[in-house]
Amino acid sequence: MRKVLALSLSDAKNISRDTILILILFGPVAIFFLLRYLIPVATDYLQAEMAFDLTEHYLYIVCFMSLIPTQLFGFIFGLLILEERDEEIIAFIAVTPLQKTGYLTYKLLASTLMSFAFFFIVVYGTGLTTIPLKYASILALLVAFEAPIGSLFLAAYAENKVEGMAYSKILGLMYIAPVIVFFFDTNWHYFAAFLPPFWVAKAFIAAKADAQIFWIYIVLGTLVHAGIILFLLRKFLNNQR
Amino acid sequence: MIEVEKLHFTYPGNSEPTLKDINFTIAEGEIFGFLGPNGAGKSTAQKILIGILKKYSGRVQVMNHEMRDLNSSYYESIGVAFEFPNLYSKFTALENLDFFRKLYSGETEKPEELLAMVGLEKDGNTRIAEYSKGMKMRLNFCRSLLNKPDILFLDEPTSGLDPVNLRRIIEIITNLKDAGKTVCLTTHDMHVADTLCDRVAFLVDGEIALIDSPRQLKLHNGKQRVRVEFRENESLNTREFRLDNLGKDAEFIRILNEKNIETIHTQEASLEDIFIKTTGRRLL
């Protein structure tokens, strides 16, 4: 516990002394305010002025927006890992009792847990849509698994923080998957099944409909997420040697 | 304390081994130095001893534990200082030490006392980004003592230090030895090796070319002679005498009695002389 507290405090200090990381941290807060206060206003406006019913798209909006904080948390921890690798802090931690395994476990769990918690704020704190509670925790976990993918993608492929910023944009491309799922409802959309957010979107729709196929999407989604996490983890560890 | 037998190591992807048939032991309370040019395998040997590289062949035991099977508790009892200081640049020195000490379960040193030991007590609240290279090296060194380790692994601990701080670090390492600690260091600095090490190993192309105490090596490889420099009629003269029966050498006694002596030196070899003679290469 003492080690986890030390690592958390060190991350908090690192973030608080980096303007970019502070700005990124405001992202999830901005998402909450957007969903909680601006979307209802926009709904009323669109209904009144254009007779467009935005509420029909609330599930899509909540699904998409629940993924953004996850991506941002993954991005923050990815940049922290890159910085700690550049300064060779990880090399030193590897020869302390925490070792590299403990360090990576903490970093990946921290981004996952933050994302997990924020899922409930986005889904239940904004009041736009409801997902049956029996599905919420497991869906939140699948969403949260996007965070370690983001962190490890940056850590495995970017040489430094500047490259990390560029790679985050490439990572952002996988969020095309929910668009495909929601707006191209044919079997062709399974071509995007290798993208982790694809399964999040499928699970969202199934959970909302209280359909039992939800569990199949969760299993397949977990396999895709786990496979990508393991691949990136191996790539990162090989780079370290 | 440390036993290494028939150690071979090849980096993945390399065809040539980096370490070839390395054998040595380090006793408890000993200061042992690896000397050699860049790429000779010094850091690789240290990385194996600190458990970073595990895919070696041979036997490597530290405190009776085979290194390829070690667990995290090993790191409670060793201290490591890498060649390049790896510190949080956005943190102050005290914040750095405070963070790293919390990674250990056992009793740790007080960060303020460690900073005072290396002369950084007034710079504890300065961020590392503002530290000079020498200050970072001193902080890097004192961090290796945080967990009161039994064995210290120091990679070029005196690199980039001014003469005052060089002497300070040498004194601290000597005190650690007196307190029973075992120290394994690598260095390019022959003066440091000569002053500090009980024994040194010359590593060349992954092999130990020589291993002994600096004193024995210097005596064994030097000339058993003494050189005397003296002034005579405004000119500087030099004479050499054999060391055996020096007190009965009439010419030596005459020069001592009659001439204006400026220097007298025995002609043992320096560690650098021995290195060049043994390997045919200069230290880089």
Side-chain angles (χ1 to χ4, degrees):
Chain A
M1 199 59 197
R2 179 180 140 105
K3 289 173 192 168
V4 173
L5 278 175
L7 287 162
S8 310
L9 194 64
S10 136
D11 281 345
K13 261 185 212 157
N14 261 321
I15 293 169
S16 71
R17 290 172 191 179
D18 189 314
T19 319
I20 293 169
L21 294 180
I22 292 172
L23 287 173
I24 298 170
L25 204 57
F26 272 110
V29 181
I31 296 284
F32 172 75
F33 280 100
L34 173 78
L35 295 178
R36 182 81 178 84
Y37 300 106
L38 287 182
I39 292 290
V41 173
T43 304
D44 293 344
Y45 175 81
L46 290 170
Q47 186 68 57
E49 298 294 321
M50 299 175 195
F52 178 78
D53 187 7
L54 191 61
T55 58
E56 287 179 7
H57 300 285
Y58 273 2
L59 185 65
Y60 165 71
I61 292 170
V62 170
C63 169
F64 191 77
M65 290 299 182
S66 74
L67 286 163
I68 294 178
T70 302
Q71 190 195 6
L72 295 176
F73 290 132
F75 185 31
I76 288 173
F77 280 91
L79 290 181
L80 287 173
I81 293 173
L82 281 179
E83 190 167 296
E84 283 164 336
R85 190 187 65 191
D86 286 351
E87 293 191 321
E88 298 199 25
I89 302 285
I90 301 177
F92 185 78
I93 287 178
V95 294
T96 68
L98 184 67
Q99 295 188 276
K100 207 184 287 174
T101 324
Y103 164 83
L104 266 181
T105 306
Y106 157 78
K107 280 283 195 268
L108 300 182
L109 274 182
S111 63
T112 306
L113 284 176
M114 285 173 81
S115 304
F116 181 80
F118 217 83
F119 173 88
F120 292 94
I121 295 173
V122 169
V123 175
Y124 296 99
T126 58
L128 291 184
T129 189
T130 51
I131 301 279
L133 266 174
K134 60 182 173 183
Y135 301 124
S137 294
I138 200 80
L139 184 57
L141 208 54
L142 191 66
V143 170
F145 281 153
E146 303 278 322
I149 289 179
S151 302
L152 283 170
F153 180 73
L154 299 193
Y157 288 99
E159 288 290 321
N160 49 50
K161 272 178 82 178
V162 179
E163 266 191 43
M165 308 284 239
Y167 274 99
S168 71
K169 291 186 175 65
I170 298 172
L171 192 69
L173 291 176
M174 75 176 181
Y175 292 94
I176 191 79
V179 181
I180 293 170
V181 171
F182 275 90
F183 297 106
F184 299 92
D185 191 14
T186 69
N187 282 339
W188 286 97
H189 72 202
Y190 279 97
F191 275 111
F194 67 95
L195 295 170
F198 174 90
W199 297 103
V200 170
K202 296 290 280 182
F204 247 99
I205 293 169
K208 178 73 181 170
D210 198 5
Q212 290 307 298
I213 199 166
F214 170 83
W215 299 106
I216 293 176
Y217 292 150
I218 288 293
V219 170
L220 293 173
T222 305
L223 287 175
V224 169
H225 282 77
I228 293 175
I229 288 171
L230 284 176
F231 170 79
L232 293 172
L233 194 58
R234 192 169 294 175
K235 168 96 178 133
F236 173 71
L237 291 173
N238 282 341
N239 290 352
Q240 286 282 292
R241 288 193 186 112
Chain B
M1 201 66 158
I2 297 175
E3 288 177 35
V4 175
E5 205 177 279
K6 294 181 180 167
L7 169 63
H8 290 258
F9 180 80
T10 307
Y11 279 101
N14 285 7
S15 53
E16 278 293 301
T18 303
L19 296 176
K20 301 167 218 166
D21 197 27
I22 302 283
N23 297 280
F24 65 91
T25 58
I26 303 177
E28 189 173 348
E30 183 176 11
I31 302 180
F32 186 89
F34 281 116
L35 313 182
N38 291 334
K42 307 186 299 281
S43 296
T44 303
Q46 269 216 344
K47 280 179 183 170
I48 290 170
L49 292 176
I50 59 180
I52 293 179
L53 301 173
K54 293 198 174 96
K55 290 182 178 169
Y56 58 84
S57 65
R59 193 170 71 95
V60 180
Q61 293 204 327
V62 181
M63 294 181 285
N64 297 321
H65 294 288
E66 185 65 42
M67 292 311 292
R68 64 170 72 85
D69 307 322
L70 68 86
N71 57 37
S72 65
S73 65
Y74 174 64
Y75 294 110
E76 294 285 353
S77 52
I78 68 161
V80 180
F82 289 107
E83 182 177 1
F84 300 104
N86 33 14
L87 302 153
Y88 281 108
S89 59
K90 285 188 223 158
F91 289 12
T92 67
L94 278 170
E95 285 172 340
N96 263 287
L97 293 179
D98 199 46
F99 166 70
F100 288 111
R101 79 192 287 215
K102 286 178 181 149
L103 303 183
Y104 296 95
S105 307
E107 197 188 337
T108 52
E109 300 280 3
K110 289 192 175 70
E112 294 82 357
E113 287 176 10
L114 287 178
L115 288 179
M117 184 195 275
V118 294
L120 290 172
E121 62 274 30
K122 289 179 185 158
D123 304 292
N125 291 312
T126 304
R127 288 196 188 178
I128 304 309
E130 292 165 39
Y131 265 37
S132 69
K133 192 196 171 195
M135 291 164 84
K136 285 181 194 169
M137 284 303 291
R138 282 185 277 155
L139 180 60
N140 193 49
F141 169 75
C142 78
R143 180 181 57 181
S144 69
L145 307 176
L146 263 177
N147 56 324
K148 303 185 174 182
D150 297 324
I151 310 179
L152 271 169
F153 294 97
L154 309 172
D155 198 355
E156 302 284 355
T158 55
S159 161
L161 295 182
D162 61 57
V164 173
N165 284 306
L166 175 71
R167 184 170 291 183
R168 191 199 298 264
I169 298 297
I170 286 177
E171 200 177 301
I172 296 170
I173 296 174
T174 309
N175 291 342
L176 288 166
K177 173 192 159 64
D178 293 342
K181 311 284 187 188
T182 306
V183 182
C184 176
L185 58 87
T186 70
T187 183
H188 280 116
D189 189 324
M190 294 295 109
H191 167 70
V192 169
D194 199 359
T195 314
L196 269 179
C197 296
D198 296 310
R199 284 187 309 139
V200 293
F202 287 97
L203 262 177
V204 186
D205 296 332
E207 291 176 279
I208 292 182
L210 265 182
I211 185 165
D212 210 334
S213 71
R215 179 181 155 75
Q216 277 305 110
L217 287 170
K218 288 188 296 182
L219 285 177
H220 190 256
N221 288 277
K223 291 189 281 187
Q224 300 293 305
R225 301 178 78 86
V226 64
R227 176 180 289 175
V228 184
E229 289 182 330
F230 57 94
R231 290 263 166 210
E232 191 172 40
N233 303 327
E234 298 298 312
S235 64
L236 183 67
N237 294 303
T238 304
R239 289 289 307 275
E240 279 193 19
F241 301 93
R242 292 175 60 86
L243 281 176
D244 52 330
N245 293 317
L246 184 62
K248 292 176 187 165
D249 189 314
E251 179 63 5
F252 178 70
I253 302 294
R254 186 188 69 79
I255 289 171
L256 287 189
N257 284 328
E258 296 176 7
K259 306 298 178 189
N260 183 16
I261 308 292
E262 291 198 343
T263 67
I264 301 180
H265 289 295
T266 48
Q267 297 300 291
E268 70 269 23
S270 70
L271 283 186
E272 189 167 350
D273 291 337
I274 298 164
F275 185 89
I276 294 165
K277 182 179 159 191
T278 311
T279 67
R281 292 166 68 173
R282 282 189 174 276
L283 281 161
L284 296 172

